[in-house]
Amino acid sequence: MSSKRILLATAFLLTLCARVTVFAASEAPKSPNIIFILTDDQGYGDLQRHGHPYLQTPNTNRLHDESVRFDRFYVSPSCSPTRAALMTGMHEFRNGVTHTLIPREHLNIEATTLPQLLKTAGYKTGFIGKWHLGGSRGYAPDARGFDWTATNPMGPRKHFDPEIIRNGERTQREGFREDIFFDEAMTFIEESGDQPFFCYLATYSPHTPLGAPEKFIAPFREQGLSEKHATYLAMIENVDYNVGRLLAFMEERGLDENTIVIFMNDNGVTEGLDVYNAGMRGCKATTWEGGSRAMSFWRWPNHWKPQTHDNLTAHVDVLPTLCELAGVDVPEDLQSELEGYSLLPLLESDEAMSWHDDRSLFHHVGRWPSGLAESHKYAMVSVHKGDYLLVRSAPCGDPACEDFQSQCTTMRAVYNGLTKTTYADGTAQMHWGTTPMGHWALYNVVEDPACQNDLSRTHPELVASMAASYDVWWDELYPTMIERGGDLGDPLASAHASARAKQWKGPTSDAQLKGQAAATAAADSMSRFDRIDANGDSKITLAEYVGPFLKQMSIKDANHDGMLSVAEFDVPHFKSVDTDKNGQLSEAEIRQFYAEQFEQIDRDQSGSISADEM
């Protein structure tokens, strides 16, 4: 062949290769966008699809129905620890996060985070909402791998018209905080353009202090729920409303089919505990099943078949899963430290399958008084393996701990018969229940989520095996946890935080913001206080508070039958008082209704109402 023909053939082949390369590049699939929604203090049962008797959550129901659902998915017993595990793929203690208070909420400054890894694969990373892993220099989201951030300086204490700090610039905004957070998420998505994005949207709802738009609260109040429960559930329905807004936004912009949407809650139920808990025992900050079981919905239209998996899965699995989906080349030294597994085999499977069936998940409430970590090895801890939960729900037994307020304070009180404590109004023996000191209890939580049948005596070998694995885990982890700040801080921090929380007196609905006569209302309240304070000792007891209402009953009872009909007592809250729904109010119903109202007004739980509380 002549040299001219060889040159022509070579040129043709090079042109063909170039065209194939261009075609292949144009057809290469774009990395999926990722939206990760994390709610704060919502429980596994706080969803209509999970059987809640009051909630209407059509948009989260839709997300549930269109997702791969991990139904035995576990997080940490409280918020900062869960967030640390999500961001690092490791148990939170390994990075020094053992509490929700400074400095033990701070994520180890040297930790590699999920957004940092995703950026290596070309992702634009955005964070909106509650961070709770440290706000000082070097710890805030913009220093931990997020290109774009939007937060509010007053956190959970400012529900309406918050100031928003977006990428360092402060602006005053109008409206409800969570509505604004979802607006910010949509702004970030729009600004990401054609670049694949990771949007981490962490709400404050339904964390205390409680507050929501009145239109969400009113329907629950009308059903007879207490103000606390009505507002808590209203916050959840508001999140659902915003989930619907976000899904519609994605569809309108043609982003839906290449966007993975993940929805989770960060720990067990809180203020809605006594309304519904999906049959489980335990709440936030406990080691029972209800303390750490969470929703975990993963939606990717036309890629993953909606189905439920019952494999033992956890928050530490999120980072390795998203890294594999995004094509991240995880450094070898980091791979050896990761404690989670990629969920991709389960996400892509069309049916139930075996997946790391021998794994164990270790839980520790933490929150001990700073400086006393060593004596809290067995204080409020548990191990999940297979269908079983091995648990020690007990105080530490260290006399030094008794000088400080902590979770052990609650445990000691429960041992002594306490029935009412955080989240539990008369149900503390159930949800904060204790196990005998020095004893592990064992439950099959698939068959017995309420943890009523202790199997430790009939399964001693399993107890010994799981207990030994816990000892190995703690003993190996402990030096690293101490080195990374997990026992630093003021042992009085919990007491100080509790006092600050009781001082909060902000509005709980937009209706309160619209009041036009605050001064007059205050004067009226003081006048009312003086009328009820029968003995003039500047405090109102339960008997003094309920008394006037019972007196009104005797006055209004025209037919003297000991009951009040609507005709005799035509007030807007009649249905709320009429708990048995028979159209008649008994003395017991009136007494119960105003006793519950008294407890809500008595913010410091002193047993009496002060003028300030009124």
Side-chain angles (χ1 to χ4, degrees):
M1 182 181 290
S2 69
S3 59
K4 184 176 181 180
R5 287 183 177 179
I6 292 174
L7 288 172
L8 287 171
T10 302
F12 173 77
L13 289 172
L14 289 172
T15 302
L16 179 62
C17 288
R19 288 178 177 176
V20 169
T21 301
V22 171
F23 176 78
S26 66
E27 293 297 308
K30 178 186 175 185
S31 297
N33 304 310
I34 303 165
I35 299 175
F36 183 86
I37 303 171
L38 184 70
T39 62
D40 192 15
D41 280 6
Q42 179 178 9
Y44 169 91
D46 290 332
L47 179 70
Q48 188 179 7
R49 275 292 183 270
H50 286 175
H52 200 284
Y54 292 97
L55 282 169
Q56 301 292 315
T57 52
N59 301 299
T60 324
N61 289 348
R62 176 193 166 191
L63 195 56
H64 168 281
D65 296 346
E66 296 177 358
S67 294
V68 178
R69 303 170 293 274
F70 298 107
D71 203 44
R72 296 198 61 222
F73 188 92
Y74 294 91
V75 292
S76 304
S78 62
C79 29
S80 295
T82 287
R83 294 157 206 272
L86 288 168
M87 288 294 102
T88 64
M90 306 176 199
H91 192 280
E92 60 271 13
F93 283 14
R94 195 168 297 281
N95 281 295
V97 180
T98 61
H99 210 308
T100 56
L101 300 177
I102 297 172
R104 286 162 56 192
E105 65 167 20
H106 280 45
L107 180 67
N108 173 32
I109 195 73
E110 297 180 356
T112 300
T113 66
L114 174 59
Q116 289 171 337
L117 292 167
L118 292 175
K119 286 177 68 171
T120 67
Y123 276 74
K124 182 168 184 176
T125 56
F127 172 79
I128 299 97
K130 176 177 179 176
W131 177 239
H132 212 176
L133 291 173
S136 54
R137 184 181 298 274
Y139 290 93
D142 60 356
R144 307 312 297 258
F146 287 102
D147 304 312
W148 196 103
T149 63
T151 59
N152 63 313
M154 290 188 68
R157 297 182 300 280
K158 182 74 170 176
H159 301 99
F160 302 97
D161 301 340
E163 185 179 36
I164 295 293
I165 306 174
R166 182 199 293 174
N167 301 326
E169 294 187 10
R170 293 175 178 254
T171 57
Q172 184 63 46
R173 305 287 285 276
E174 293 184 359
F176 184 58
R177 180 188 58 222
E178 263 58 35
D179 298 345
I180 295 170
F181 281 170
F182 276 80
D183 288 343
E184 289 296 293
M186 289 182 256
T187 298
F188 163 70
I189 291 168
E190 287 187 324
E191 292 184 2
S192 295
D194 293 331
Q195 187 176 357
F197 62 79
F198 170 59
C199 177
Y200 176 22
L201 170 55
T203 71
Y204 281 103
S205 289
H207 195 290
T208 55
L210 303 178
E214 178 64 22
K215 67 180 180 180
F216 289 97
I217 301 174
F220 295 111
R221 190 186 293 122
E222 291 168 1
Q223 294 179 72
L225 292 177
S226 69
E227 200 68 17
K228 177 180 75 173
H229 291 151
T231 309
Y232 174 81
L233 298 179
M235 295 172 85
I236 293 170
E237 285 202 356
N238 172 264
V239 169
D240 178 79
Y241 156 76
N242 279 298
V243 167
R245 290 177 58 221
L246 182 60
L247 292 177
F249 169 85
M250 299 299 293
E251 291 170 352
E252 289 167 4
R253 281 154 180 77
L255 297 171
D256 194 50
E257 290 196 5
N258 198 44
T259 300
I260 296 167
V261 178
I262 306 165
F263 185 93
M264 292 181 194
N265 55 299
D266 68 341
N267 47 241
V269 65
T270 52
E271 298 295 353
L273 173 65
D274 290 336
V275 179
Y276 182 72
N277 197 27
M280 298 183 295
R281 185 178 196 177
C283 56
K284 175 182 177 178
T286 72
T287 53
W288 295 105
E289 180 74 354
S292 55
R293 187 180 178 192
M295 309 176 208
S296 185
F297 307 149
W298 297 62
R299 175 184 183 265
W300 193 6
N302 299 320
H303 288 79
W304 297 332
K305 174 185 174 182
Q307 59 185 308
T308 298
H309 285 295
D310 295 323
N311 307 75
L312 196 61
T313 50
H315 49 11
V316 292
D317 301 328
V318 171
L319 182 145
T321 304
L322 295 184
C323 283
E324 183 173 2
L325 283 164
V328 173
D329 185 11
V330 180
E332 288 187 13
D333 59 342
L334 180 59
Q335 287 183 30
S336 63
E337 293 186 11
L338 296 180
E339 298 173 65
Y341 305 105
S342 173
L343 297 167
L344 201 56
L346 295 173
L347 291 166
E348 295 181 340
S349 174
D350 289 335
E351 56 189 18
M353 61 178 289
S354 176
W355 180 87
H356 299 287
D357 295 341
D358 60 345
R359 86 181 305 186
S360 295
L361 296 175
F362 302 98
H363 308 284
H364 195 306
V365 168
R367 305 168 79 94
W368 57 77
S370 293
L372 298 179
E374 186 173 5
S375 62
H376 285 73
K377 176 178 178 178
Y378 298 114
M380 303 184 73
V381 302
S382 63
V383 183
H384 273 102
K385 185 169 185 177
D387 294 349
Y388 293 94
L389 175 69
L390 185 73
V391 59
R392 276 195 182 186
S393 180
C396 63
D398 182 358
C401 181
E402 297 181 18
D403 293 335
F404 308 103
Q405 181 175 320
S406 70
Q407 298 301 138
C408 285
T409 307
T410 302
M411 288 289 96
R412 287 190 291 269
V414 172
Y415 262 116
N416 291 325
L418 181 73
T419 60
K420 182 178 179 180
T421 188
T422 309
Y423 316 130
D425 188 3
T427 58
Q429 290 295 315
M430 169 68 173
H431 295 297
W432 291 84
T434 55
T435 55
M437 291 293 289
H439 173 73
W440 289 100
L442 180 72
Y443 301 91
N444 182 324
V445 290
V446 173
E447 298 177 357
D448 179 25
C451 299
Q452 296 299 294
N453 184 22
D454 182 1
L455 303 173
S456 59
R457 293 183 182 276
T458 58
H459 294 66
E461 292 183 358
L462 181 58
V463 171
S465 172
M466 293 175 71
S469 70
Y470 176 81
D471 285 337
V472 170
W473 172 78
W474 173 271
D475 293 344
E476 183 274 329
L477 176 71
Y478 184 81
T480 301
M481 178 187 75
I482 297 299
E483 177 187 345
R484 294 177 177 176
D487 200 27
L488 297 177
D490 181 359
L492 293 171
S494 289
H496 295 156
S498 179
R500 288 193 300 272
K502 290 179 179 178
Q503 293 171 0
W504 185 85
K505 297 179 181 179
T508 59
S509 75
D510 48 352
Q512 290 186 13
L513 286 177
K514 296 174 183 177
Q516 297 179 352
T520 302
D524 289 346
S525 178
M526 193 62 200
S527 175
R528 182 181 175 219
F529 182 91
D530 292 336
R531 290 196 305 270
I532 298 175
D533 182 20
N535 61 5
D537 64 350
S538 299
K539 62 182 180 181
I540 296 173
T541 64
L542 175 60
E544 288 176 320
Y545 187 83
V546 175
F549 299 106
L550 296 179
K551 184 177 180 180
Q552 281 293 311
M553 178 181 182
S554 64
I555 296 172
K556 298 281 187 180
D557 184 15
N559 61 3
H560 306 291
D561 65 348
M563 306 286 286
L564 291 182
S565 65
V566 175
E568 293 171 322
F569 195 59
D570 188 13
V571 293
H573 56 279
F574 186 96
K575 290 182 179 180
S576 298
V577 184
D578 184 21
T579 55
D580 61 9
K581 309 302 179 188
N582 68 349
Q584 299 280 328
L585 302 186
S586 66
E587 178 179 332
E589 288 175 320
I590 292 174
R591 189 182 295 275
Q592 177 64 27
F593 179 82
Y594 289 107
E596 290 177 358
Q597 195 175 84
F598 175 91
E599 290 182 2
Q600 293 170 15
I601 299 171
D602 180 22
R603 288 189 294 271
D604 63 2
Q605 298 181 345
S606 64
S608 63
I609 297 173
S610 66
D612 288 341
E613 289 174 321
M614 197 76 171

